[in-house]
Amino acid sequence: GDSVTQMEGPVTLSEEAFLTINCTYTATGYPSLFWYVQYPGEGLQLLLKATKADDKGSNKGFEATYRKETTSFHLEKGSVQVSDSAVYFCALSVKYALNFGKGTSLLVTP
Amino acid sequence: EAGVTQFPSHSVIEKGQTVTLRCDPISGHDNLYWYRRVMGKEIKFLLHFVKESKQDESGMPNNRFLAERTGGTYSTLKVQPAELEDSGVYFCASNARYQAGATTGEQFFGPGTRLTVL
C-alpha cells in the first residue's frame, strides 16, 4: 500500500544551520506530496506541496522537490531559525486521504 | 475566517467508558476527515465524509468507533467502549470539494483532541 518513510528525530541544530529532513514514499498511483508542520500547542499546517514529478514546493524558506526517479521529497532550508522548532510530517495523497510519515522533531538552539 | 475546531482538547477516561469527540470544520467545507496519531506511530487516516455521507471509512479500527456528520456540518467520533490502545491524538481536517480530475487540495487541520484511556 501507499506509505511514507521519513528520517527519525529528534534533530537538533544551531541557528543558521542547514536543514535536511529526508522523506521517501511508496505509492501505487501518482501521488501529491506534502510537508506539514506542527508547532508546539498547535494543529498541523501545510508547509508546502508538490503535485507532479519535478515540481518544487517552497514556503518560508523551506523547499522540497518531487523526485519520481528516487521516490523522494526531501525538505531543506538553508538557514534555520529558533522559530522553526516544530515537528515536521511528510505526507502523500493519491485520492483524498493523507498518508503520513512518523514525523521528525526539530529543535533549533540559539 | 475561523479554522477547524475540536472539542475537547483533552479527555481522560477509564477503560470501558464512552467518549465523544467533536469537530467543527471550516464553514462551507464539504470534505471532513478524521485521523489518529498513536504515540510513536504515524498519523493514520480513519475516515472521510463528503457532506453527511461516509465516502471512505477504511481506516476505522473496529466497530467500537462510530462517526457521524448529521446535516453535513460538524462531526462526532464516538468510542464505545474505550480500550487502552485507543489512547492518542485525534485530528480532524476539512477542505472544500473540488472538481474531478483536479489536484489534491490542502487539508486544514484542527488542533486535535488528546485522548487518554486509563
Side-chain angles (χ1 to χ4, degrees), chain A residues 32 34 36 38 42-44 46 49 51 89 93 95-98 100-102, chain B residues 31 33 35 37 40 42-43 45 48 91 98 103-104 106-107 109-111:
Chain A
S32 294
F34 305 84
Y36 277 81
Q38 185 178 25
E42 299 183 14
L44 281 78
L46 179 67
K49 72 176 183 182
T51 57
F89 295 90
S93 178
K95 291 184 177 180
Y96 289 90
L98 289 166
F100 286 91
K102 288 187 177 182
Chain B
N31 292 307
Y33 311 83
Y35 294 86
R37 188 184 191 199
E42 297 90 343
I43 300 171
F45 166 78
H48 168 213
F91 292 101
Y98 58 89
T103 57
T104 306
E106 172 185 1
Q107 293 185 19
F109 280 78

PDB file of all heavy atoms in Angstrom, chain A residues 32 34 36 38 42-44 46 49 51 89 93 95-98 100-102, chain B residues 31 33 35 37 40 42-43 45 48 91 98 103-104 106-107 109-111:
ATOM      1  N   SER A  32       0.198  13.219  -4.835  1.00  0.00           N
ATOM      2  CA  SER A  32       0.639  14.551  -4.467  1.00  0.00           C
ATOM      3  C   SER A  32       1.432  14.400  -3.176  1.00  0.00           C
ATOM      4  O   SER A  32       1.151  13.523  -2.358  1.00  0.00           O
ATOM      5  CB  SER A  32      -0.555  15.483  -4.250  1.00  0.00           C
ATOM      6  OG  SER A  32      -1.253  15.693  -5.456  1.00  0.00           O
ATOM      7  N   PHE A  34       3.341  16.297   0.280  1.00  0.00           N
ATOM      8  CA  PHE A  34       3.156  17.429   1.181  1.00  0.00           C
ATOM      9  C   PHE A  34       4.175  17.378   2.320  1.00  0.00           C
ATOM     10  O   PHE A  34       4.635  16.311   2.718  1.00  0.00           O
ATOM     11  CB  PHE A  34       1.767  17.381   1.835  1.00  0.00           C
ATOM     12  CG  PHE A  34       0.614  17.298   0.880  1.00  0.00           C
ATOM     13  CD1 PHE A  34       0.210  16.074   0.363  1.00  0.00           C
ATOM     14  CD2 PHE A  34      -0.079  18.428   0.518  1.00  0.00           C
ATOM     15  CE1 PHE A  34      -0.855  15.977  -0.510  1.00  0.00           C
ATOM     16  CE2 PHE A  34      -1.151  18.354  -0.356  1.00  0.00           C
ATOM     17  CZ  PHE A  34      -1.544  17.121  -0.869  1.00  0.00           C
ATOM     18  N   TYR A  36       3.825  18.887   6.153  1.00  0.00           N
ATOM     19  CA  TYR A  36       3.040  19.588   7.156  1.00  0.00           C
ATOM     20  C   TYR A  36       3.940  19.859   8.357  1.00  0.00           C
ATOM     21  O   TYR A  36       4.878  19.111   8.639  1.00  0.00           O
ATOM     22  CB  TYR A  36       1.843  18.752   7.612  1.00  0.00           C
ATOM     23  CG  TYR A  36       0.639  18.851   6.704  1.00  0.00           C
ATOM     24  CD1 TYR A  36       0.553  18.102   5.539  1.00  0.00           C
ATOM     25  CD2 TYR A  36      -0.408  19.700   7.018  1.00  0.00           C
ATOM     26  CE1 TYR A  36      -0.563  18.191   4.704  1.00  0.00           C
ATOM     27  CE2 TYR A  36      -1.530  19.801   6.192  1.00  0.00           C
ATOM     28  CZ  TYR A  36      -1.589  19.045   5.041  1.00  0.00           C
ATOM     29  OH  TYR A  36      -2.690  19.146   4.213  1.00  0.00           O
ATOM     30  N   GLN A  38       3.864  21.004  12.611  1.00  0.00           N
ATOM     31  CA  GLN A  38       3.071  21.197  13.828  1.00  0.00           C
ATOM     32  C   GLN A  38       3.930  21.935  14.842  1.00  0.00           C
ATOM     33  O   GLN A  38       4.884  21.369  15.399  1.00  0.00           O
ATOM     34  CB  GLN A  38       2.594  19.868  14.396  1.00  0.00           C
ATOM     35  CG  GLN A  38       1.656  20.020  15.587  1.00  0.00           C
ATOM     36  CD  GLN A  38       1.145  18.699  16.110  1.00  0.00           C
ATOM     37  OE1 GLN A  38       1.760  17.660  15.944  1.00  0.00           O
ATOM     38  NE2 GLN A  38      -0.010  18.735  16.775  1.00  0.00           N
ATOM     39  N   GLU A  42      -0.130  23.636  18.669  1.00  0.00           N
ATOM     40  CA  GLU A  42      -0.992  23.978  17.542  1.00  0.00           C
ATOM     41  C   GLU A  42      -1.315  22.751  16.697  1.00  0.00           C
ATOM     42  O   GLU A  42      -0.777  21.678  16.895  1.00  0.00           O
ATOM     43  CB  GLU A  42      -0.316  25.035  16.674  1.00  0.00           C
ATOM     44  CG  GLU A  42      -0.025  26.331  17.416  1.00  0.00           C
ATOM     45  CD  GLU A  42       0.583  27.382  16.509  1.00  0.00           C
ATOM     46  OE1 GLU A  42       0.536  27.230  15.276  1.00  0.00           O
ATOM     47  OE2 GLU A  42       1.106  28.380  17.054  1.00  0.00           O
ATOM     48  N   GLY A  43      -2.237  22.924  15.744  1.00  0.00           N
ATOM     49  CA  GLY A  43      -2.572  21.859  14.812  1.00  0.00           C
ATOM     50  C   GLY A  43      -1.582  21.801  13.661  1.00  0.00           C
ATOM     51  O   GLY A  43      -0.675  22.616  13.558  1.00  0.00           O
ATOM     52  N   LEU A  44      -1.776  20.826  12.799  1.00  0.00           N
ATOM     53  CA  LEU A  44      -0.904  20.694  11.630  1.00  0.00           C
ATOM     54  C   LEU A  44      -1.218  21.797  10.626  1.00  0.00           C
ATOM     55  O   LEU A  44      -2.383  22.116  10.382  1.00  0.00           O
ATOM     56  CB  LEU A  44      -1.102  19.343  10.946  1.00  0.00           C
ATOM     57  CG  LEU A  44      -0.429  18.134  11.560  1.00  0.00           C
ATOM     58  CD1 LEU A  44      -1.195  17.653  12.769  1.00  0.00           C
ATOM     59  CD2 LEU A  44      -0.318  17.015  10.530  1.00  0.00           C
ATOM     60  N   LEU A  46      -0.149  23.134   6.616  1.00  0.00           N
ATOM     61  CA  LEU A  46       0.556  22.815   5.386  1.00  0.00           C
ATOM     62  C   LEU A  46       1.754  23.747   5.239  1.00  0.00           C
ATOM     63  O   LEU A  46       1.616  24.973   5.302  1.00  0.00           O
ATOM     64  CB  LEU A  46      -0.354  22.970   4.177  1.00  0.00           C
ATOM     65  CG  LEU A  46       0.298  22.679   2.832  1.00  0.00           C
ATOM     66  CD1 LEU A  46       0.654  21.197   2.728  1.00  0.00           C
ATOM     67  CD2 LEU A  46      -0.624  23.086   1.687  1.00  0.00           C
ATOM     68  N   LYS A  49       3.766  21.935  -0.824  1.00  0.00           N
ATOM     69  CA  LYS A  49       3.283  20.752  -1.522  1.00  0.00           C
ATOM     70  C   LYS A  49       3.805  20.743  -2.953  1.00  0.00           C
ATOM     71  O   LYS A  49       4.246  21.772  -3.484  1.00  0.00           O
ATOM     72  CB  LYS A  49       1.754  20.707  -1.532  1.00  0.00           C
ATOM     73  CG  LYS A  49       1.099  21.732  -2.442  1.00  0.00           C
ATOM     74  CD  LYS A  49      -0.422  21.548  -2.458  1.00  0.00           C
ATOM     75  CE  LYS A  49      -1.090  22.523  -3.421  1.00  0.00           C
ATOM     76  NZ  LYS A  49      -2.578  22.379  -3.393  1.00  0.00           N
ATOM     77  N   THR A  51       2.649  18.554  -6.716  1.00  0.00           N
ATOM     78  CA  THR A  51       1.616  17.666  -7.235  1.00  0.00           C
ATOM     79  C   THR A  51       2.067  16.793  -8.394  1.00  0.00           C
ATOM     80  O   THR A  51       1.338  15.874  -8.781  1.00  0.00           O
ATOM     81  CB  THR A  51       0.391  18.477  -7.669  1.00  0.00           C
ATOM     82  OG1 THR A  51       0.808  19.447  -8.652  1.00  0.00           O
ATOM     83  CG2 THR A  51      -0.236  19.187  -6.489  1.00  0.00           C
ATOM     84  N   PHE A  89       6.057  16.711   9.246  1.00  0.00           N
ATOM     85  CA  PHE A  89       5.471  15.480   8.729  1.00  0.00           C
ATOM     86  C   PHE A  89       5.471  15.501   7.208  1.00  0.00           C
ATOM     87  O   PHE A  89       4.936  16.432   6.595  1.00  0.00           O
ATOM     88  CB  PHE A  89       4.023  15.318   9.195  1.00  0.00           C
ATOM     89  CG  PHE A  89       3.836  15.150  10.666  1.00  0.00           C
ATOM     90  CD1 PHE A  89       3.655  16.258  11.488  1.00  0.00           C
ATOM     91  CD2 PHE A  89       3.856  13.896  11.245  1.00  0.00           C
ATOM     92  CE1 PHE A  89       3.479  16.117  12.853  1.00  0.00           C
ATOM     93  CE2 PHE A  89       3.668  13.731  12.611  1.00  0.00           C
ATOM     94  CZ  PHE A  89       3.488  14.838  13.415  1.00  0.00           C
ATOM     95  N   SER A  93      -0.766  11.864  -0.920  1.00  0.00           N
ATOM     96  CA  SER A  93      -2.175  11.624  -1.169  1.00  0.00           C
ATOM     97  C   SER A  93      -2.363  11.219  -2.619  1.00  0.00           C
ATOM     98  O   SER A  93      -1.874  11.894  -3.520  1.00  0.00           O
ATOM     99  CB  SER A  93      -2.999  12.881  -0.861  1.00  0.00           C
ATOM    100  OG  SER A  93      -4.363  12.656  -1.146  1.00  0.00           O
ATOM    101  N   LYS A  95      -5.707   9.940  -3.603  1.00  0.00           N
ATOM    102  CA  LYS A  95      -7.083  10.399  -3.824  1.00  0.00           C
ATOM    103  C   LYS A  95      -7.439  11.490  -2.821  1.00  0.00           C
ATOM    104  O   LYS A  95      -7.167  12.659  -3.049  1.00  0.00           O
ATOM    105  CB  LYS A  95      -8.048   9.224  -3.729  1.00  0.00           C
ATOM    106  CG  LYS A  95      -7.916   8.232  -4.878  1.00  0.00           C
ATOM    107  CD  LYS A  95      -8.974   7.156  -4.775  1.00  0.00           C
ATOM    108  CE  LYS A  95      -8.875   6.214  -5.970  1.00  0.00           C
ATOM    109  NZ  LYS A  95      -9.903   5.133  -5.887  1.00  0.00           N
ATOM    110  N   TYR A  96      -8.015  11.117  -1.704  1.00  0.00           N
ATOM    111  CA  TYR A  96      -8.419  12.098  -0.702  1.00  0.00           C
ATOM    112  C   TYR A  96      -7.576  12.024   0.563  1.00  0.00           C
ATOM    113  O   TYR A  96      -7.085  13.026   1.052  1.00  0.00           O
ATOM    114  CB  TYR A  96      -9.893  11.890  -0.334  1.00  0.00           C
ATOM    115  CG  TYR A  96     -10.857  12.287  -1.403  1.00  0.00           C
ATOM    116  CD1 TYR A  96     -11.287  11.380  -2.364  1.00  0.00           C
ATOM    117  CD2 TYR A  96     -11.357  13.584  -1.470  1.00  0.00           C
ATOM    118  CE1 TYR A  96     -12.185  11.759  -3.349  1.00  0.00           C
ATOM    119  CE2 TYR A  96     -12.255  13.962  -2.446  1.00  0.00           C
ATOM    120  CZ  TYR A  96     -12.669  13.049  -3.381  1.00  0.00           C
ATOM    121  OH  TYR A  96     -13.565  13.422  -4.355  1.00  0.00           O
ATOM    122  N   ALA A  97      -7.444  10.815   1.112  1.00  0.00           N
ATOM    123  CA  ALA A  97      -6.794  10.679   2.407  1.00  0.00           C
ATOM    124  C   ALA A  97      -5.304  10.952   2.319  1.00  0.00           C
ATOM    125  O   ALA A  97      -4.653  10.703   1.300  1.00  0.00           O
ATOM    126  CB  ALA A  97      -7.025   9.269   2.947  1.00  0.00           C
ATOM    127  N   LEU A  98      -4.748  11.485   3.393  1.00  0.00           N
ATOM    128  CA  LEU A  98      -3.310  11.698   3.514  1.00  0.00           C
ATOM    129  C   LEU A  98      -2.672  10.506   4.226  1.00  0.00           C
ATOM    130  O   LEU A  98      -3.208  10.013   5.217  1.00  0.00           O
ATOM    131  CB  LEU A  98      -3.044  12.972   4.315  1.00  0.00           C
ATOM    132  CG  LEU A  98      -3.380  14.294   3.626  1.00  0.00           C
ATOM    133  CD1 LEU A  98      -3.385  15.434   4.637  1.00  0.00           C
ATOM    134  CD2 LEU A  98      -2.386  14.578   2.519  1.00  0.00           C
ATOM    135  N   PHE A 100       0.741   9.716   6.198  1.00  0.00           N
ATOM    136  CA  PHE A 100       1.802  10.474   6.837  1.00  0.00           C
ATOM    137  C   PHE A 100       2.995   9.599   7.216  1.00  0.00           C
ATOM    138  O   PHE A 100       2.854   8.401   7.486  1.00  0.00           O
ATOM    139  CB  PHE A 100       1.293  11.100   8.144  1.00  0.00           C
ATOM    140  CG  PHE A 100       0.381  12.270   7.958  1.00  0.00           C
ATOM    141  CD1 PHE A 100      -0.989  12.092   7.880  1.00  0.00           C
ATOM    142  CD2 PHE A 100       0.887  13.564   7.891  1.00  0.00           C
ATOM    143  CE1 PHE A 100      -1.841  13.175   7.729  1.00  0.00           C
ATOM    144  CE2 PHE A 100       0.038  14.651   7.745  1.00  0.00           C
ATOM    145  CZ  PHE A 100      -1.325  14.453   7.659  1.00  0.00           C
ATOM    146  N   GLY A 101       4.151  10.225   7.289  1.00  0.00           N
ATOM    147  CA  GLY A 101       5.292   9.623   7.946  1.00  0.00           C
ATOM    148  C   GLY A 101       5.165   9.806   9.447  1.00  0.00           C
ATOM    149  O   GLY A 101       4.208  10.419   9.932  1.00  0.00           O
ATOM    150  N   LYS A 102       6.138   9.307  10.201  1.00  0.00           N
ATOM    151  CA  LYS A 102       6.057   9.341  11.659  1.00  0.00           C
ATOM    152  C   LYS A 102       6.327  10.721  12.246  1.00  0.00           C
ATOM    153  O   LYS A 102       6.054  10.957  13.418  1.00  0.00           O
ATOM    154  CB  LYS A 102       7.040   8.339  12.271  1.00  0.00           C
ATOM    155  CG  LYS A 102       6.630   6.894  12.085  1.00  0.00           C
ATOM    156  CD  LYS A 102       7.557   5.958  12.853  1.00  0.00           C
ATOM    157  CE  LYS A 102       7.097   4.521  12.730  1.00  0.00           C
ATOM    158  NZ  LYS A 102       7.952   3.602  13.508  1.00  0.00           N
TER     159      LYS A 102
ATOM    160  N   ASN B  31     -15.753  18.374   2.568  1.00  0.00           N
ATOM    161  CA  ASN B  31     -14.927  17.230   2.962  1.00  0.00           C
ATOM    162  C   ASN B  31     -14.493  17.366   4.415  1.00  0.00           C
ATOM    163  O   ASN B  31     -13.982  18.417   4.827  1.00  0.00           O
ATOM    164  CB  ASN B  31     -13.678  17.138   2.090  1.00  0.00           C
ATOM    165  CG  ASN B  31     -13.997  16.774   0.658  1.00  0.00           C
ATOM    166  OD1 ASN B  31     -14.669  15.803   0.389  1.00  0.00           O
ATOM    167  ND2 ASN B  31     -13.505  17.582  -0.266  1.00  0.00           N
ATOM    168  N   TYR B  33     -12.410  14.989   7.446  1.00  0.00           N
ATOM    169  CA  TYR B  33     -11.583  13.804   7.667  1.00  0.00           C
ATOM    170  C   TYR B  33     -11.307  13.655   9.156  1.00  0.00           C
ATOM    171  O   TYR B  33     -11.130  14.643   9.864  1.00  0.00           O
ATOM    172  CB  TYR B  33     -10.240  13.936   6.947  1.00  0.00           C
ATOM    173  CG  TYR B  33     -10.331  14.364   5.501  1.00  0.00           C
ATOM    174  CD1 TYR B  33     -10.460  15.710   5.161  1.00  0.00           C
ATOM    175  CD2 TYR B  33     -10.261  13.436   4.467  1.00  0.00           C
ATOM    176  CE1 TYR B  33     -10.538  16.109   3.836  1.00  0.00           C
ATOM    177  CE2 TYR B  33     -10.327  13.832   3.140  1.00  0.00           C
ATOM    178  CZ  TYR B  33     -10.473  15.177   2.834  1.00  0.00           C
ATOM    179  OH  TYR B  33     -10.540  15.573   1.525  1.00  0.00           O
ATOM    180  N   TYR B  35      -8.383  11.664  11.600  1.00  0.00           N
ATOM    181  CA  TYR B  35      -7.099  10.967  11.662  1.00  0.00           C
ATOM    182  C   TYR B  35      -6.781  10.701  13.128  1.00  0.00           C
ATOM    183  O   TYR B  35      -7.321  11.338  14.032  1.00  0.00           O
ATOM    184  CB  TYR B  35      -5.971  11.828  11.078  1.00  0.00           C
ATOM    185  CG  TYR B  35      -6.056  12.113   9.604  1.00  0.00           C
ATOM    186  CD1 TYR B  35      -6.800  13.188   9.124  1.00  0.00           C
ATOM    187  CD2 TYR B  35      -5.373  11.332   8.686  1.00  0.00           C
ATOM    188  CE1 TYR B  35      -6.873  13.470   7.770  1.00  0.00           C
ATOM    189  CE2 TYR B  35      -5.427  11.608   7.323  1.00  0.00           C
ATOM    190  CZ  TYR B  35      -6.186  12.677   6.875  1.00  0.00           C
ATOM    191  OH  TYR B  35      -6.244  12.943   5.526  1.00  0.00           O
ATOM    192  N   ARG B  37      -3.288   9.778  15.767  1.00  0.00           N
ATOM    193  CA  ARG B  37      -1.867   9.504  15.984  1.00  0.00           C
ATOM    194  C   ARG B  37      -1.705   8.835  17.333  1.00  0.00           C
ATOM    195  O   ARG B  37      -1.910   9.450  18.380  1.00  0.00           O
ATOM    196  CB  ARG B  37      -1.022  10.772  15.925  1.00  0.00           C
ATOM    197  CG  ARG B  37       0.471  10.472  15.965  1.00  0.00           C
ATOM    198  CD  ARG B  37       1.324  11.707  16.003  1.00  0.00           C
ATOM    199  NE  ARG B  37       2.726  11.376  15.788  1.00  0.00           N
ATOM    200  CZ  ARG B  37       3.744  12.161  16.106  1.00  0.00           C
ATOM    201  NH1 ARG B  37       3.511  13.336  16.673  1.00  0.00           N
ATOM    202  NH2 ARG B  37       4.980  11.794  15.877  1.00  0.00           N
ATOM    203  N   GLY B  40       4.162   7.591  19.112  1.00  0.00           N
ATOM    204  CA  GLY B  40       5.284   6.985  18.423  1.00  0.00           C
ATOM    205  C   GLY B  40       4.979   6.425  17.051  1.00  0.00           C
ATOM    206  O   GLY B  40       5.874   5.905  16.380  1.00  0.00           O
ATOM    207  N   GLU B  42       2.697   6.700  13.128  1.00  0.00           N
ATOM    208  CA  GLU B  42       2.275   7.669  12.132  1.00  0.00           C
ATOM    209  C   GLU B  42       0.871   8.185  12.421  1.00  0.00           C
ATOM    210  O   GLU B  42       0.088   7.546  13.111  1.00  0.00           O
ATOM    211  CB  GLU B  42       2.249   7.036  10.731  1.00  0.00           C
ATOM    212  CG  GLU B  42       3.567   6.551  10.195  1.00  0.00           C
ATOM    213  CD  GLU B  42       3.832   5.110  10.553  1.00  0.00           C
ATOM    214  OE1 GLU B  42       3.170   4.589  11.475  1.00  0.00           O
ATOM    215  OE2 GLU B  42       4.710   4.518   9.913  1.00  0.00           O
ATOM    216  N   ILE B  43       0.557   9.333  11.852  1.00  0.00           N
ATOM    217  CA  ILE B  43      -0.819   9.807  11.838  1.00  0.00           C
ATOM    218  C   ILE B  43      -1.560   8.946  10.821  1.00  0.00           C
ATOM    219  O   ILE B  43      -1.164   8.872   9.653  1.00  0.00           O
ATOM    220  CB  ILE B  43      -0.891  11.287  11.429  1.00  0.00           C
ATOM    221  CG1 ILE B  43      -0.105  12.160  12.415  1.00  0.00           C
ATOM    222  CG2 ILE B  43      -2.343  11.747  11.351  1.00  0.00           C
ATOM    223  CD1 ILE B  43       0.056  13.601  11.970  1.00  0.00           C
ATOM    224  N   PHE B  45      -5.098   7.727   8.838  1.00  0.00           N
ATOM    225  CA  PHE B  45      -6.423   8.094   8.354  1.00  0.00           C
ATOM    226  C   PHE B  45      -7.475   7.170   8.956  1.00  0.00           C
ATOM    227  O   PHE B  45      -7.285   5.949   9.037  1.00  0.00           O
ATOM    228  CB  PHE B  45      -6.436   7.985   6.828  1.00  0.00           C
ATOM    229  CG  PHE B  45      -7.800   8.010   6.198  1.00  0.00           C
ATOM    230  CD1 PHE B  45      -8.484   9.205   6.049  1.00  0.00           C
ATOM    231  CD2 PHE B  45      -8.392   6.839   5.747  1.00  0.00           C
ATOM    232  CE1 PHE B  45      -9.735   9.231   5.454  1.00  0.00           C
ATOM    233  CE2 PHE B  45      -9.634   6.854   5.152  1.00  0.00           C
ATOM    234  CZ  PHE B  45     -10.316   8.047   5.006  1.00  0.00           C
ATOM    235  N   HIS B  48     -13.469   9.548   5.970  1.00  0.00           N
ATOM    236  CA  HIS B  48     -13.692  10.737   5.163  1.00  0.00           C
ATOM    237  C   HIS B  48     -15.184  10.886   4.903  1.00  0.00           C
ATOM    238  O   HIS B  48     -15.834   9.939   4.436  1.00  0.00           O
ATOM    239  CB  HIS B  48     -12.913  10.590   3.852  1.00  0.00           C
ATOM    240  CG  HIS B  48     -13.253  11.589   2.792  1.00  0.00           C
ATOM    241  ND1 HIS B  48     -13.203  11.269   1.444  1.00  0.00           N
ATOM    242  CD2 HIS B  48     -13.618  12.889   2.850  1.00  0.00           C
ATOM    243  CE1 HIS B  48     -13.539  12.325   0.728  1.00  0.00           C
ATOM    244  NE2 HIS B  48     -13.782  13.323   1.559  1.00  0.00           N
ATOM    245  N   PHE B  91      -7.156  13.871  15.246  1.00  0.00           N
ATOM    246  CA  PHE B  91      -7.194  15.096  14.452  1.00  0.00           C
ATOM    247  C   PHE B  91      -8.378  15.075  13.499  1.00  0.00           C
ATOM    248  O   PHE B  91      -8.737  14.040  12.948  1.00  0.00           O
ATOM    249  CB  PHE B  91      -5.927  15.238  13.604  1.00  0.00           C
ATOM    250  CG  PHE B  91      -4.671  15.474  14.382  1.00  0.00           C
ATOM    251  CD1 PHE B  91      -3.780  14.432  14.623  1.00  0.00           C
ATOM    252  CD2 PHE B  91      -4.368  16.736  14.867  1.00  0.00           C
ATOM    253  CE1 PHE B  91      -2.605  14.654  15.326  1.00  0.00           C
ATOM    254  CE2 PHE B  91      -3.200  16.968  15.567  1.00  0.00           C
ATOM    255  CZ  PHE B  91      -2.319  15.911  15.808  1.00  0.00           C
ATOM    256  N   TYR B  98     -13.613  19.631  -4.668  1.00  0.00           N
ATOM    257  CA  TYR B  98     -13.017  20.103  -5.916  1.00  0.00           C
ATOM    258  C   TYR B  98     -13.515  19.233  -7.060  1.00  0.00           C
ATOM    259  O   TYR B  98     -14.025  18.154  -6.878  1.00  0.00           O
ATOM    260  CB  TYR B  98     -11.489  20.081  -5.836  1.00  0.00           C
ATOM    261  CG  TYR B  98     -10.895  18.738  -5.532  1.00  0.00           C
ATOM    262  CD1 TYR B  98     -10.560  17.845  -6.539  1.00  0.00           C
ATOM    263  CD2 TYR B  98     -10.653  18.355  -4.214  1.00  0.00           C
ATOM    264  CE1 TYR B  98     -10.012  16.616  -6.256  1.00  0.00           C
ATOM    265  CE2 TYR B  98     -10.104  17.127  -3.918  1.00  0.00           C
ATOM    266  CZ  TYR B  98      -9.785  16.263  -4.949  1.00  0.00           C
ATOM    267  OH  TYR B  98      -9.237  15.046  -4.657  1.00  0.00           O
ATOM    268  N   THR B 103      -6.214  18.610  -8.921  1.00  0.00           N
ATOM    269  CA  THR B 103      -5.198  18.131  -8.000  1.00  0.00           C
ATOM    270  C   THR B 103      -5.726  18.112  -6.573  1.00  0.00           C
ATOM    271  O   THR B 103      -6.681  18.804  -6.247  1.00  0.00           O
ATOM    272  CB  THR B 103      -3.955  19.028  -8.051  1.00  0.00           C
ATOM    273  OG1 THR B 103      -4.348  20.374  -7.746  1.00  0.00           O
ATOM    274  CG2 THR B 103      -3.315  18.981  -9.418  1.00  0.00           C
ATOM    275  N   THR B 104      -5.092  17.289  -5.773  1.00  0.00           N
ATOM    276  CA  THR B 104      -5.497  17.162  -4.373  1.00  0.00           C
ATOM    277  C   THR B 104      -5.326  18.490  -3.656  1.00  0.00           C
ATOM    278  O   THR B 104      -4.302  19.132  -3.761  1.00  0.00           O
ATOM    279  CB  THR B 104      -4.639  16.101  -3.688  1.00  0.00           C
ATOM    280  OG1 THR B 104      -4.725  14.904  -4.437  1.00  0.00           O
ATOM    281  CG2 THR B 104      -5.118  15.858  -2.283  1.00  0.00           C
ATOM    282  N   GLU B 106      -5.294  21.158  -0.321  1.00  0.00           N
ATOM    283  CA  GLU B 106      -4.786  21.223   1.045  1.00  0.00           C
ATOM    284  C   GLU B 106      -5.880  20.853   2.026  1.00  0.00           C
ATOM    285  O   GLU B 106      -7.036  21.242   1.853  1.00  0.00           O
ATOM    286  CB  GLU B 106      -4.292  22.633   1.332  1.00  0.00           C
ATOM    287  CG  GLU B 106      -3.907  22.894   2.778  1.00  0.00           C
ATOM    288  CD  GLU B 106      -3.551  24.325   3.046  1.00  0.00           C
ATOM    289  OE1 GLU B 106      -3.611  25.138   2.103  1.00  0.00           O
ATOM    290  OE2 GLU B 106      -3.214  24.647   4.200  1.00  0.00           O
ATOM    291  N   GLN B 107      -5.521  20.136   3.058  1.00  0.00           N
ATOM    292  CA  GLN B 107      -6.440  19.864   4.160  1.00  0.00           C
ATOM    293  C   GLN B 107      -6.083  20.771   5.325  1.00  0.00           C
ATOM    294  O   GLN B 107      -4.907  20.932   5.654  1.00  0.00           O
ATOM    295  CB  GLN B 107      -6.360  18.393   4.584  1.00  0.00           C
ATOM    296  CG  GLN B 107      -6.879  17.445   3.514  1.00  0.00           C
ATOM    297  CD  GLN B 107      -6.909  16.005   3.965  1.00  0.00           C
ATOM    298  OE1 GLN B 107      -6.885  15.705   5.158  1.00  0.00           O
ATOM    299  NE2 GLN B 107      -6.988  15.085   3.004  1.00  0.00           N
ATOM    300  N   PHE B 109      -6.248  21.446   9.258  1.00  0.00           N
ATOM    301  CA  PHE B 109      -6.350  20.609  10.441  1.00  0.00           C
ATOM    302  C   PHE B 109      -6.753  21.396  11.677  1.00  0.00           C
ATOM    303  O   PHE B 109      -6.380  22.568  11.841  1.00  0.00           O
ATOM    304  CB  PHE B 109      -5.003  19.918  10.722  1.00  0.00           C
ATOM    305  CG  PHE B 109      -4.760  18.725   9.864  1.00  0.00           C
ATOM    306  CD1 PHE B 109      -4.342  18.860   8.554  1.00  0.00           C
ATOM    307  CD2 PHE B 109      -4.965  17.457  10.369  1.00  0.00           C
ATOM    308  CE1 PHE B 109      -4.123  17.756   7.753  1.00  0.00           C
ATOM    309  CE2 PHE B 109      -4.745  16.337   9.579  1.00  0.00           C
ATOM    310  CZ  PHE B 109      -4.327  16.485   8.270  1.00  0.00           C
ATOM    311  N   GLY B 110      -7.479  20.729  12.548  1.00  0.00           N
ATOM    312  CA  GLY B 110      -7.733  21.248  13.870  1.00  0.00           C
ATOM    313  C   GLY B 110      -6.571  20.928  14.800  1.00  0.00           C
ATOM    314  O   GLY B 110      -5.650  20.219  14.423  1.00  0.00           O
ATOM    315  N   PRO B 111      -6.636  21.447  16.034  1.00  0.00           N
ATOM    316  CA  PRO B 111      -5.532  21.252  16.977  1.00  0.00           C
ATOM    317  C   PRO B 111      -5.474  19.858  17.580  1.00  0.00           C
ATOM    318  O   PRO B 111      -4.464  19.500  18.195  1.00  0.00           O
ATOM    319  CB  PRO B 111      -5.814  22.288  18.070  1.00  0.00           C
ATOM    320  CG  PRO B 111      -7.292  22.465  18.024  1.00  0.00           C
ATOM    321  CD  PRO B 111      -7.682  22.314  16.580  1.00  0.00           C
TER     322      PRO B 111
END
